[in-house]
Amino acid sequence: MPFEIVFTVADDVGKKATTSVKIPTTFLLADYVEFGAGMATALNNFLRGKILSADLCLDVDISSLTGNVTSGISDVEEIGAFEFVTAAGNRVKLNIPGMAELDTITGTNVLDETEAEVAAVITMMEDGIAGALPCDVGGDDIVDTLFAREHFRSSGRRR
Amino acid sequence: MSIFTASITFAFVDDKGKTSSTKIRIPNTLSLAAISAFTLASAQVLADFSACQLTSARPCIGLDLSSATIRAIAGAGSDIAEKAWAIASTAFGTQSKMIMPTATDSYVLAGTDVIDETNLDVAAVVAVLEDGIVTTGGTIAPVDLRDNDLEAVDSFTEKFRKFTGR
């Protein structure tokens, strides 16, 4: 699958839309930055809207995941709601759809952090995984967990 | 404008067919290989936690556009419902389209919906689609879904689409 650069454009009443172009996967990130800037300039001169951003998007092959199947009682509206804090004190939410009720402490909506699956999520967010540390929107490192709870929320599915 | 973070969107489906997603951000000072490695490892953690099936893991990395020439505010009268459709073909005959919002009326040939490819601003976009852009690591040229190089823009027209945003 090729990579894709997605450009977001705003018009003069603030409405936004995107346009994208697919590109080969064999270059360095710095090269894609050069391409993105060059194409943004060409689009700026051609279009009347304002280019807000350009994002390089890639699809990672997840076929090697183990145990990645739906259980008979799975529901995306049942959420594992985590909230973390960064070194600068900023809060970061992570809402994971389809949590298992067995991961809560009996009589509460609190996730049991001694459960391996829950602990793995917290470790990943606080300490990173595969050499990368999760962060907030400004790039500030996540350092601690504020809470981990069960939460229910409508998926917003339209009928 | 600076480089911000890589944002990874994980999509899920439950056994009723309902879908949802969640997002994790990491610094994009990492290599693409490292971002991919994090994505795969974190996908496994999420798959272990969730009773749903993970259907995709898609990192998107904000690119630094500080070297681009970009207007400060959108042009008066610009409208995202006014699109420019470029359809380009590969050497194998497959086609790929690029739909660009806020197209400019003045680039359309009188009495038609055809965008004038002799105009310099239009020609520059066509050149990017057909020939790519030279970067430090080589020329990056757009491709179709199957990674085949786009060789020629077959049509470039103006079209209007209903705005469905909220």
Side-chain angles (χ1 to χ4, degrees):
Chain A
M1 288 281 286
F3 291 167
E4 187 174 32
I5 294 186
V6 180
F7 296 89
T8 302
V9 183
D11 64 20
D12 75 339
V13 293
K15 292 181 296 186
K16 297 175 187 174
T18 60
T19 186
S20 65
V21 62
K22 294 177 180 60
I23 47 177
T25 62
T26 51
F27 294 86
L28 298 175
L29 181 54
D31 300 321
Y32 294 120
V33 171
E34 290 180 39
F35 178 89
M39 182 133 199
T41 298
L43 290 174
N44 175 78
N45 295 337
F46 171 57
L47 302 171
R48 288 194 293 172
K50 179 185 178 183
I51 311 290
L52 297 176
S53 63
D55 293 288
L56 174 69
C57 298
L58 37 150
D59 285 302
V60 173
D61 180 5
I62 58 169
S63 60
S64 64
L65 296 182
T66 58
N68 184 30
V69 293
T70 56
S71 81
I73 55 168
S74 61
D75 196 317
V76 295
E77 298 185 11
E78 192 165 5
I79 292 166
F82 294 80
E83 191 158 312
F84 305 94
V85 64
T86 70
N90 301 320
R91 294 183 173 214
V92 178
K93 292 179 179 177
L94 174 66
N95 295 317
I96 308 174
M99 67 156 287
E101 289 189 41
L102 294 175
D103 285 337
T104 56
I105 296 172
T106 305
T108 75
N109 66 350
V110 177
L111 297 188
D112 184 353
E113 297 183 18
T114 65
E115 288 284 344
E117 296 84 358
V118 179
V121 171
I122 290 172
T123 300
M124 172 181 75
M125 295 301 288
E126 290 183 0
D127 302 330
I129 192 168
L133 295 166
C135 63
D136 69 2
V137 68
D140 194 31
D141 181 30
I142 288 171
V143 294
D144 203 3
T145 302
L146 296 177
F147 65 76
R149 300 178 190 139
E150 178 187 43
H151 186 69
F152 293 90
R153 192 166 62 183
S154 167
S155 64
R157 183 185 185 195
R158 294 173 184 81
R159 299 176 197 286
Chain B
M1 193 175 292
S2 61
I3 296 178
F4 298 115
T5 59
S7 170
I8 306 159
T9 301
F10 301 90
F12 297 82
V13 64
D14 64 22
D15 70 333
K16 307 166 190 74
K18 292 185 294 186
T19 59
S20 187
S21 64
T22 194
K23 189 177 284 188
I24 296 176
R25 296 178 191 277
I26 56 174
N28 66 355
T29 49
L30 302 165
S31 68
L32 292 175
I35 291 172
S36 294
F38 174 86
T39 301
L40 189 58
S42 55
Q44 184 64 66
V45 172
L46 296 177
D48 291 342
F49 177 83
S50 178
C52 297
Q53 183 179 19
L54 195 62
T55 55
S56 71
R58 183 172 164 89
C60 286
I61 303 149
L63 299 179
D64 181 359
L65 296 182
S66 58
S67 65
T69 301
I70 295 174
R71 65 179 57 86
I73 57 172
S78 58
D79 194 325
I80 59 164
E82 193 169 358
K83 313 281 191 185
W85 282 51
I87 298 179
S89 60
T90 70
F92 304 99
T94 55
Q95 290 187 317
S96 184
K97 66 175 178 281
M98 183 174 184
I99 303 172
M100 294 160 264
T102 70
T104 310
D105 285 329
S106 59
Y107 293 159
V108 178
L109 293 169
T112 75
D113 61 359
V114 176
I115 294 173
D116 181 5
E117 293 186 30
T118 65
N119 179 283
L120 291 180
D121 293 336
V122 179
V125 174
V126 171
V128 170
L129 293 175
E130 292 181 348
D131 305 324
I133 291 175
V134 177
T135 71
T136 303
T139 299
I140 298 179
V143 296
D144 72 357
L145 191 59
R146 294 179 179 172
D147 228 356
N148 300 312
D149 183 41
L150 300 183
E151 297 209 327
V153 171
D154 300 327
S155 71
F156 208 165
T157 55
E158 176 192 48
K159 290 191 181 185
F160 293 86
R161 300 296 290 267
K162 182 179 178 182
F163 173 65
T164 57
R166 292 166 196 89

